[in-house]
């Protein structure tokens, strides 16, 4: 999958959960990714984050270890 | 094969049923008790006495014009019409006195004196109420004769008394499906009343008075086709004579048998009587006891079935090694073997997850269940998705999160109790016409309407209805508008605290209140963003919160956005905070696009969940299916349609079995879809026609129509309705059989011999379907899930005593604008939708006479935007976005506001989706069809891309003659 699309999708999910009340937004981003993204897409996102996470929303960065 | 026996009384009772206190009377000495307000005619019919009638029908209010139904009532003077006379306690009615019999014969004599006596060659012979009534009243003689030196004044002879008869009007056969023959009209007004009361279009009227009275469609120069008539056929059905007559009956004769089945067009799921001679379909008439449609239909369901026998239908399997080659017709065995070898080969070379399926929302529950089972149990992966991905997946997510069940909360009958209806992002009179008619009827009876839509749709203002408020929002700002409405309700303390405290999580509501009270959500602040005047929005919010039963109906204008899921949650919030959930007349009602979108979602078509919306990560649910199917199920979600295409482009997804979907035309960003399909090594298309997707296919498996198989559809109100085999599959196999052949060729041991066995398996594994089986559906007609031991009669309304998830959950809905914005290069916003006469990608309706109403997609543009671009009505314009460009004709209209343009996506020649982008809903990847930044400019005709596309399509559709 093109990286920019993957990143945009992940950032969109983070965008929603960032607006939600509570302290566990990163966990909720991770849960959403685990529930709806296949393992290959998650692996791709993780690989991208390991290389360069500057274009990822902070919540996605926080969620990476949990996916 | 035997006809389906109709379990209910199918007679015309003369006048509509009413509710009221019991009243007892006697009719010809027999006692009968009926609700107060019932007509004498209906009371008599209740005990099996049919009083002669012509102008009365039980789907229309009594009219009292034909005077055939007169009766005598003890203690009353004269001979009142039984249709307009309500019953009274102790009333004594005589239906067959010598006085009324004489009157009836006299009335019939007058009718027949102005009616042609060509019964034997008349298309309504044997199906004519005038004929029946002449018999019933014992008419034996017509005494009216022409005067000696002149003709008899009449309406049916072209010439009378040697002169041209000015009263005679030629037949109007402008409508492709029915004719209007004024010479046979008895002016009973049933057609006019059906058009008004049932359909709500008001296209027909009675022109003139007395002897000059004529049925007229539109103005003096109109014929049926040019009038406002929407060709729903209610008038044809209402007509007691051959005046309004189906052309199919004229051509084929009156049908001799009928089978009850379910329409395969939109999500309303109308019940129909398919009427046939042998296996030749003569006509479809809406089934009176169909609980979704209550005897009404639209032009698609009633008339647009010709595609089933269209010459474009492919009836033999075909294969080819590459998409550059022409198709080769082969046996089923060879095609299935070829497909199975290729798919297994791909898995061996590229891995278990390199192939997948797309289930069809046009196929039955049983077929859909088998296709996802094929992915999970034979391909051994979760790569299954369905077209709901591109329409209502945000409904699934949003309602699942807030209510705990991803389905509409009401039945369609609930609309009869609505006081305030919000229609948001839906155009029911075009896309869900029968529901649209039922809604309009309720609005005419006094219910209020709030329309939230960028376009001035027909429900905003049309004959005898007008929305109390139209909020013409800028495309993409749904969340801001819905949240602003919540702001008003909280700000002005209009919420239902008792309901929230009892039924929802109060703490979550408090958090939500804090969020929504912020001044940035006030309508005054959001006006700049949404374009909706603050005062109008405030009034609308007040009306919804305080106007009695408030119901929200929504469509793809809500879901097909980057924030589709957020809007669905916002809608759920509105319903919960106003206590509009859990009873008749309220609720949250997604209007589903296709006939079985609900069912395909229920059946586990999504890559992350097994049938019954249970996530594949659940050990218990996996164990259930594993023991049933004897396989191990992957606990990880599979690929969604857009993910499959992305994976195909990047080389890891290689094979697809696509049943009854045309993703190349229906999915966004056509270039990307084409690239994905072209990158695959085995695309199996299972369809009626060589659709656009088939341009990239290697195997074509011919499909069967809804008339050719048994099964069930589940409509937008969760109603499981039987689809019945009206005729044998012309391609040789029902679709479920084809899937089973493929599964077996790939090693499965499936042994289904009838779809009822598949339903039994669904019931065994899916709690909401636990008590559903075909025997029950035969007996009851239909049932709404959940149907199990907790709800043995099904569930017309959900969340009655509590939400499925326990406490209703309020979710904060911050507005996050889409990245798709208009700017200097693309200054307009394009939004897309449907039109009444065409359906989805048009594969079916384009192959019917419906194209007479819409033979090409056109671009709606506001006069202001057109003028600055020099665009005139009918000009070819180029529509361009960052994804692609196409050309189509423009039509200038103020239905759209300045800055917004609109088109439909029914025609592959236009391919509106070459314009739409790959942006999608944050939660579900539902594409953002409804917002694309575009530019419009004059053009000379089709673009280079359109020419290339058509050339490729023509090349790809070549079929080699069968080998000798």
């Amino acid at each position: 999958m093109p990286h920019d699309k993957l990143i945009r999708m992940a950032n969109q999910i983070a965008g929603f959960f960032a607006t939600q009340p509570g302290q566990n937004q990163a966990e909720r981003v991770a849960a959403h990714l685990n529930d709806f993204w296949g393992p290959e897409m998650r692996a791709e996102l993780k690989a991208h984050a390991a290389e360069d996470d500057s274009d990822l929303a902070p919540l996605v960065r926080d969620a990476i270890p949990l996916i | 094969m035997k006809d389906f026996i109709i379990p209910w009384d199918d007679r015309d009772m003369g006048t509509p049923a009413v509710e009221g206190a019991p009243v007892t009377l006697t009719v010809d000495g027999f006692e009968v008790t009926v609700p107060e307000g019932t007509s004498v005619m209906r009371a008599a019919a209740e005990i099996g006495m049919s009083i002669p009638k012509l102008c009365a029908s039980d789907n229309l209010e009594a009219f009292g014009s034909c005077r055939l139904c007169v009766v005598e009532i003890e203690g009353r003077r004269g001979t009142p019409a039984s249709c307009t006379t309500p019953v009274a306690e102790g009333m004594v009615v005589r239906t067959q006195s010598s006085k009324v019999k004489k009157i009836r014969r006299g009335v019939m004599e007058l009718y027949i004196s102005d009616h042609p006596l060509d019964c034997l060659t008349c298309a309504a012979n044997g199906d004519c109420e005038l004929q029946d009534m002449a018999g019933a009243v014992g008419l034996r003689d017509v005494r009216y004769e022409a005067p000696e030196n002149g003709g008899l004044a009449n309406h049916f002879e072209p010439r009378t008394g040697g002169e041209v008869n000015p009263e005679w009007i030629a037949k109007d056969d402008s409508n492709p499906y029915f004719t209007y023959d004024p010479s046979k009209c008895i002016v009973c007004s049933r057609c006019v009343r059906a058009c008004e009361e049932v359909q709500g279009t008001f296209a027909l009227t009675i022109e003139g008075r007395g002897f000059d009275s004529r049925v007229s469609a539109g103005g003096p120069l109109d014929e049926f086709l040019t009038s406002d008539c929407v060709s729903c056929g209610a008038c044809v059905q209402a007509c007691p004579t051959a005046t309004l007559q189906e052309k199919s009956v004229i051509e084929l004769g009156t049908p001799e048998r009928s089978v009850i089945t379910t329409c395969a067009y939109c999500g309303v799921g109308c019940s129909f009587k398919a009427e046939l001679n042998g296996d030749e379909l003569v006509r479809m008439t809406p089934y009176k006891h169909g609980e979704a449609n209550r005897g009404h239909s639209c032009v698609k369901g009633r008339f647009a079935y010709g595609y089933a026998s269209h010459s474009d239908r492919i009836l033999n399997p075909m294969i080819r090694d590459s998409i550059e080659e022409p198709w080769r017709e082969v046996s089923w065995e060879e095609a299935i073997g070829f497909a199975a070898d290729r798919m297994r080969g791909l898995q061996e070379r590229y891995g278990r997850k390199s192939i997948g399926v797309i289930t069809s929302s046009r196929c039955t529950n049983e077929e859909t269940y088998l296709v996802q089972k094929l992915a999970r149990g034979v391909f051994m992966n979760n790569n299954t998705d369905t077209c709901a991905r591109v329409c209502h997946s945000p409904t699934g997510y949003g309602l699942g999160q807030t209510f705990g069940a991803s389905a509409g909360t009401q039945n369609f009958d609930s609309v009869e109790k609505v006081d305030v209806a919000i229609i948001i992002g839906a155009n029911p009179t075009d896309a869900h016409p029968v529901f649209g008619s039922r809604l309009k009827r309720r609005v005419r009876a006094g219910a209020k309407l709030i329309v939230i839509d960028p376009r001035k749709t027909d429900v905003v203002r049309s004959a005898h209805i007008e929305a109390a408020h139209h909020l013409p929002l800028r495309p993409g700002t749904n969340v801001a508008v819905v949240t602003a409405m919540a702001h008003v309700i909280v700000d002005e303390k209009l919420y239902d605290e008792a309901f929230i405290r009892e039924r929802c999580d109060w703490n979550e509501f408090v958090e939500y209140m804090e969020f929504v009270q912020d001044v940035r959500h006030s309508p005054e602040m959001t006006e700049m963003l949404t374009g909706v005047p603050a005062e109008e929005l405030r009034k609308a919010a007040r009306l919804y919160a305080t106007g009695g039963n408030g119901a929200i109906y929504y469509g793809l204008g809500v879901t097909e956005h980057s924030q589709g899921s957020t809007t669905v949650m916002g809608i759920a919030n509105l319903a919960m905070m106003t206590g509009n959930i859990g009873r008749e007349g309220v609720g949250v009602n997604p209007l589903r696009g296709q006939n079985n979108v609900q069912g395909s979602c229920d059946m586990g078509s999504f890559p992350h969940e097994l049938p019954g919306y249970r996530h594949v990560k659940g050990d218990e649910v996996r164990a259930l299916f594993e023991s049933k199917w004897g396989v191990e199920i992957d606990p990880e979600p599979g690929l969604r349609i857009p993910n499959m295409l992305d994976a195909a482009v990047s080389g890891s997804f290689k094979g697809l079995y696509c049943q009854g979907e045309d993703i190349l035309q229906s999915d966004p960003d056509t270039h990307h879809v084409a690239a994905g399909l072209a990158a695959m090594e085995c695309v199996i298309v299972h369809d009626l026609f060589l659709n656009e997707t088939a341009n990239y296919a290697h195997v074509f498996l011919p499909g069967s129509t809804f008339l050719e198989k048994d099964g069930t559809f589940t409509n937008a109100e969760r109603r499981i309705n039987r689809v019945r085999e009206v005729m044998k599959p012309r391609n040789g196999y029902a679709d479920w059989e084809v899937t089973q052949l493929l599964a077996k060729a790939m090693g499965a041991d499936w042994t289904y011999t009838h779809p009822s066995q598949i339903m039994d398996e669904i019931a065994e594994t899916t709690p909401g379907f636990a008590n559903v089986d075909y025997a029950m559906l035969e007996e009851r007609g239909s049932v709404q899930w959940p149907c199990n031991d907790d709800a043995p009669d099904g569930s017309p309304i959900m969340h009655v005593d509590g939400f499925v998830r326990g406490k209703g959950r309020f979710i904060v809905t911050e507005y996050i604008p889409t990245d798709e914005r208009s700017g200097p290069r693309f200054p307009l916003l394009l939004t897309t939708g449907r039109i009444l006469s065409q359906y989805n990608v048009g594969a079916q309706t384009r192959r019917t006479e419906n194209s007479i109403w819409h033979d090409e997609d056109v671009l709606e543009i506001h006069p202001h935007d057109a003028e600055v671009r020099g665009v005139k009505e009918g000009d070819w314009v180029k529509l361009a976005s960052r994804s692609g460009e196409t050309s189509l004709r423009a039509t200038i209209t103020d239905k759209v506001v300045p800055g917004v343009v609109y088109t439909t996506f029914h025609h592959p020649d236009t391919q509106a989706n070459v314009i739409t982008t790959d942006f999608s809903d944050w939660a579900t990847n539902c594409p953002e069809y409804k917002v694309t930044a575009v530019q419009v400019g004059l053009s000379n005709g089709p673009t280079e891309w359109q020419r290339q596309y058509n050339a490729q399509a023509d090349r790809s559709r070549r079929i080699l003659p069968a080998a000798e």
Side-chain angles (χ1 to χ4, degrees):
Chain A
M1 176 174 294
H3 269 175
D4 53 339
K5 203 159 168 180
L6 203 71
I7 294 155
R8 186 173 73 234
M9 282 159 53
N11 287 346
Q12 261 184 298
I13 294 166
F16 175 80
F17 287 106
T19 66
Q20 297 301 303
Q23 301 302 316
N24 60 346
Q25 287 97 338
E27 283 88 346
R28 293 171 71 183
V29 171
H32 191 92
L33 291 170
N34 287 329
D35 278 355
F36 297 100
W37 284 26
E40 298 78 11
M41 284 167 63
R42 300 196 314 257
E44 227 178 301
L45 182 68
K46 281 179 101 157
H48 172 77
E51 220 170 86
D52 170 20
D53 63 4
S54 60
D55 47 9
L56 294 176
L59 267 186
V60 180
R61 276 182 240 155
D62 295 347
I64 291 284
L66 307 170
I67 62 172
Chain B
M1 159 181 139
K2 73 173 176 53
D3 285 8
F4 171 59
I5 307 299
I6 300 164
W8 300 281
D9 190 352
D10 203 24
R11 287 178 309 148
D12 185 340
M13 307 296 278
T15 62
V18 294
E19 286 173 12
V23 171
T24 301
L25 67 158
T26 66
V27 180
D28 293 337
F30 293 94
E31 200 166 271
V32 57
T33 302
V34 292
E36 190 178 0
T38 302
S39 69
V40 169
M41 176 181 277
R42 189 176 177 102
E46 295 286 356
I47 48 170
M49 303 210 185
S50 303
I51 299 173
K53 63 180 182 61
L54 279 170
C55 72
S57 177
D58 59 9
N59 65 341
L60 302 172
E61 292 303 319
F63 195 54
S65 86
C66 75
R67 311 311 294 175
L68 204 61
C69 71
V70 290
V71 292
E72 285 198 90
I73 297 172
E74 227 172 77
R76 296 202 186 180
R77 273 187 300 179
T79 49
S82 62
C83 64
T84 51
T85 306
V87 295
E89 189 62 38
M91 188 181 251
V92 177
V93 178
R94 293 182 64 206
T95 72
Q96 290 294 338
S97 69
S98 56
K99 189 174 177 185
V100 298
K101 285 198 290 191
K102 194 174 166 195
I103 293 172
R104 288 178 195 153
R105 262 200 296 273
V107 168
M108 278 311 295
E109 198 177 349
L110 278 164
Y111 273 122
I112 299 302
S113 72
D114 190 11
H115 194 85
L117 298 178
D118 61 351
C119 295
L120 284 182
T121 53
C122 177
N125 188 17
D127 185 24
C128 172
E129 291 180 42
L130 192 67
Q131 202 175 43
D132 296 344
M133 290 306 113
V137 305
L139 182 71
R140 298 291 172 255
D141 190 22
V142 176
R143 292 164 296 170
Y144 301 100
E145 282 177 14
E148 236 168 69
N149 297 318
L152 184 71
N154 71 68
H155 295 97
F156 65 89
E157 289 174 330
R159 297 178 72 81
T160 181
E163 302 285 330
V164 170
N165 178 4
E167 301 289 350
W168 180 82
I169 302 174
K171 208 189 227 188
D172 173 355
D173 59 3
S174 59
N175 184 291
Y177 298 119
F178 61 86
T179 61
Y180 166 52
D181 184 353
S183 72
K184 295 193 167 167
C185 180
I186 59 168
V187 205
C188 62
S189 299
R190 273 163 68 165
C191 54
V192 177
R193 288 145 63 210
C195 191
E196 294 177 4
E197 295 174 27
V198 180
Q199 166 57 28
T201 293
F202 294 77
L204 301 183
T205 189
I206 300 287
E207 210 177 67
R209 317 167 151 198
F211 194 69
D212 294 330
S213 305
R214 315 304 290 253
V215 171
S216 169
L221 298 175
D222 275 320
E223 36 184 23
F224 265 79
L225 192 63
T226 60
S227 74
D228 290 341
C229 169
V230 293
S231 197
C232 70
C235 57
V236 181
Q237 187 180 335
C239 182
T241 69
T243 310
L244 289 160
Q245 184 74 60
E246 296 92 350
K247 285 183 175 173
S248 60
V249 173
I250 296 175
E251 191 189 327
L252 303 170
T254 39
E256 49 89 23
R257 69 181 186 99
S258 65
V259 184
I260 307 298
T261 191
T262 305
C263 180
Y265 283 119
C266 78
V268 177
C270 297
S271 296
F272 274 88
K273 263 162 91 169
E275 300 187 47
L276 308 100
N277 286 319
D279 69 347
E280 184 170 56
L281 186 59
V282 176
R283 70 177 164 195
M284 299 283 280
T285 48
Y287 181 46
K288 186 175 178 174
H289 297 291
E291 292 180 64
N293 55 319
R294 302 283 175 196
H296 190 38
S297 75
C298 76
V299 60
K300 295 188 284 279
R302 190 193 295 259
F303 293 124
Y305 53 79
Y307 68 86
S309 50
H310 195 278
S311 60
D312 282 355
R313 234 184 111 178
I314 304 289
L315 300 173
N316 297 309
M318 303 189 295
I319 58 173
R320 59 183 168 191
D321 285 318
S322 93
I323 60 167
E324 305 304 323
E325 294 175 9
W327 286 104
R328 263 189 310 126
E329 286 188 356
V330 294
S331 66
W332 275 101
E333 206 181 357
E334 187 176 349
I336 295 284
F338 180 90
D341 287 350
R342 280 219 162 185
M343 292 299 245
R344 276 291 183 234
L346 290 175
Q347 285 192 302
E348 279 159 21
R349 250 176 301 145
Y350 301 105
R352 175 171 59 89
K353 295 184 173 183
S354 63
I355 62 173
V357 300
I358 296 178
T359 75
S360 175
S361 296
R362 297 177 202 165
C363 286
T364 63
N365 285 318
E366 293 76 2
E367 286 162 346
T368 303
Y369 179 87
L370 285 197
V371 175
Q372 62 88 31
K373 181 175 173 176
L374 176 74
R376 299 198 155 105
V378 182
F379 295 0
M380 307 303 292
N381 64 41
N382 285 312
N383 291 338
T384 166
D385 208 0
T386 187
C387 91
R389 172 68 50 215
V390 301
C391 67
H392 266 295
S393 52
T395 292
Y397 182 78
L399 296 185
Q401 292 289 315
T402 47
F403 297 162
S406 69
T409 63
Q410 309 298 113
N411 56 1
F412 282 127
D413 281 349
S414 167
V415 74
E416 318 282 342
K417 300 275 165 64
V418 170
D419 297 312
V420 179
I422 298 185
I423 310 294
I424 169 165
N427 185 7
T429 52
D430 277 69
H432 303 88
V434 168
F435 167 72
S437 288
R438 296 186 71 175
L439 173 75
K440 287 199 289 184
R441 186 177 186 146
R442 181 67 195 152
V443 173
R444 289 196 305 277
K448 298 279 188 295
L449 201 54
I450 298 165
V451 180
I452 305 178
D453 201 292
R455 291 174 71 228
K456 219 179 278 168
T457 53
D458 283 352
V459 285
V460 173
R461 189 166 191 274
S462 55
H464 294 263
I465 61 149
E466 183 162 17
H469 305 285
H470 175 214
L471 313 182
L473 78 178
R474 201 161 285 146
T477 60
N478 286 328
V479 173
V481 169
V482 167
T483 306
M485 287 184 73
H487 172 91
V488 174
I489 291 166
V490 168
D491 191 38
E492 302 186 9
K493 303 229 171 351
L494 304 175
Y495 52 85
D496 183 344
E497 184 169 339
F499 179 92
I500 300 166
R501 282 192 184 276
E502 188 196 330
R503 304 282 301 272
C504 305
D505 185 320
W506 181 256
N507 291 332
E508 274 167 355
F509 179 66
V510 171
E511 274 177 351
Y512 177 75
M513 226 169 13
E514 280 166 18
F515 157 78
V516 88
Q517 263 175 324
D518 192 293
V519 70
R520 74 181 189 280
H521 300 303
S522 69
E524 289 73 17
M525 290 292 275
T526 52
E527 180 173 341
M528 284 295 284
L529 185 73
T530 63
V532 175
E535 193 47 37
E536 200 64 13
L537 190 144
R538 278 193 183 270
K539 284 183 191 162
R542 284 175 203 137
L543 177 62
Y544 173 68
T546 62
N549 284 341
I552 303 177
Y553 293 89
Y554 71 90
L556 306 184
V558 160
T559 53
E560 290 174 347
H561 287 280
S562 284
Q563 329 78 356
S565 293
T566 315
T567 310
V568 172
M569 294 188 262
I571 286 171
N573 290 340
L574 282 180
M576 287 189 291
M577 74 170 70
T578 52
N580 277 316
I581 281 285
R583 60 177 196 279
E584 274 192 297
V586 298
V588 173
N589 307 277
L591 296 170
R592 306 274 176 172
Q594 302 207 52
N595 53 322
N596 202 34
V597 175
Q598 181 70 56
S600 70
C601 297
D602 301 342
M603 293 299 105
S605 294
F606 288 140
H608 66 282
E609 57 197 14
L610 284 154
Y613 303 99
R614 291 165 294 173
H615 202 283
V616 288
K617 71 184 174 189
D619 294 336
E620 215 172 293
V621 66
R622 268 199 336 278
L624 174 72
F625 285 94
E626 284 172 349
S627 68
K628 192 94 210 144
W629 296 348
V631 296
E632 201 177 314
I633 293 172
D634 189 339
E636 287 284 359
L639 296 171
R640 299 171 285 194
I641 295 172
N643 310 149
M644 289 181 195
L645 294 166
D646 288 333
V649 170
S650 57
S652 57
F653 187 82
K654 293 289 185 181
L656 177 68
Y657 170 47
C658 181
Q659 183 180 67
E661 279 299 320
D662 192 357
I663 55 169
L664 184 59
Q665 194 181 338
S666 65
D667 285 35
D669 196 359
T670 310
H671 291 311
H672 181 61
V673 180
L677 288 168
M680 294 182 204
E681 292 179 23
C682 182
V683 175
I684 307 169
V685 167
H686 182 182
D687 207 284
L688 300 175
F689 305 104
L690 279 174
N691 59 19
E692 306 310 305
T693 307
N695 296 346
Y696 292 90
H698 307 84
V699 181
F700 186 89
L701 303 174
S704 53
T705 71
F706 76 112
L707 297 165
E708 298 167 350
K709 57 197 179 188
D710 280 305
T712 55
F713 291 154
T714 307
N715 74 356
E717 46 168 6
R718 294 169 279 105
R719 184 179 302 285
I720 306 162
N721 242 328
R722 271 302 309 276
V723 177
R724 292 189 173 84
E725 188 189 52
V726 171
M727 57 182 74
K728 287 291 165 193
R730 291 183 66 214
N731 56 321
Y733 290 109
D735 295 332
W736 62 271
E737 293 177 289
V738 175
T739 305
Q740 174 161 273
L741 286 173
L742 181 61
K744 285 165 89 164
M746 292 182 72
D749 58 351
W750 299 0
T751 54
Y752 304 105
T753 56
H754 192 270
S756 63
Q757 297 156 352
I758 307 172
M759 180 52 84
D760 292 343
E761 185 174 315
I762 295 166
E764 277 169 48
T765 51
T766 310
F769 282 68
N771 288 14
V772 180
D773 63 32
Y774 276 32
M776 175 216 220
L777 293 173
E778 288 298 299
E779 191 189 317
R780 299 179 44 119
S782 66
V783 70
Q784 287 173 270
W785 69 254
C787 175
N788 46 33
D789 287 343
D790 293 336
D793 293 328
S795 311
I797 291 170
M798 288 188 86
H799 316 298
V800 174
D801 299 316
F803 285 98
V804 168
R805 71 181 299 277
K807 293 280 188 187
R809 179 170 165 221
F810 283 91
I811 297 179
V812 165
T813 54
E814 188 71 66
Y815 172 59
I816 301 174
T818 171
D819 290 334
E820 182 72 12
R821 307 225 171 111
S822 52
R825 276 182 67 208
F826 302 113
L828 303 171
L829 289 179
L830 169 76
T831 183
T832 60
R834 276 188 197 179
I835 202 159
L836 171 67
S837 54
Q838 298 285 3
Y839 176 71
N840 202 271
V841 294
Q844 293 138 291
T845 46
R846 276 187 284 112
R847 293 181 171 95
T848 69
E849 301 277 354
N850 272 27
S851 289
I852 201 167
W853 287 282
H854 184 84
D855 58 359
E856 60 182 327
D857 295 317
V858 295
L859 185 77
E860 290 186 0
I861 184 167
H862 188 272
H864 173 77
D865 292 327
E867 192 183 3
V868 297
R869 288 168 177 77
V871 173
K872 298 186 297 300
E873 180 71 24
D875 279 349
W876 275 97
V877 292
K878 192 171 81 175
L879 179 66
S881 75
R882 62 185 169 83
S883 289
E885 57 186 46
T886 189
S887 282
L888 70 175
R889 287 180 200 278
T891 186
I892 296 168
T893 173
D894 65 355
K895 271 190 180 175
V896 288
V897 295
V900 175
V901 290
Y902 169 86
T903 190
T904 49
F905 60 102
H906 301 306
H907 290 274
D909 288 345
T910 328
Q911 283 286 25
N913 282 322
V914 78
I915 305 298
T916 51
T917 68
D918 63 353
F919 283 177
S920 64
D921 174 47
W922 68 268
T924 67
N925 272 164
C926 179
E928 188 163 60
Y929 288 105
K930 301 296 183 183
V931 190
T932 311
V934 293
Q935 178 58 294
V936 173
L938 283 169
S939 101
N940 294 324
T943 59
E944 186 52 33
W945 177 79
Q946 280 166 296
R947 275 191 281 270
Q948 281 171 6
Y949 180 90
N950 284 331
Q952 194 271 341
D954 287 345
R955 237 185 1 262
S956 179
R957 290 195 177 115
R958 288 170 301 158
I959 301 173
L960 282 181
E964 291 297 323

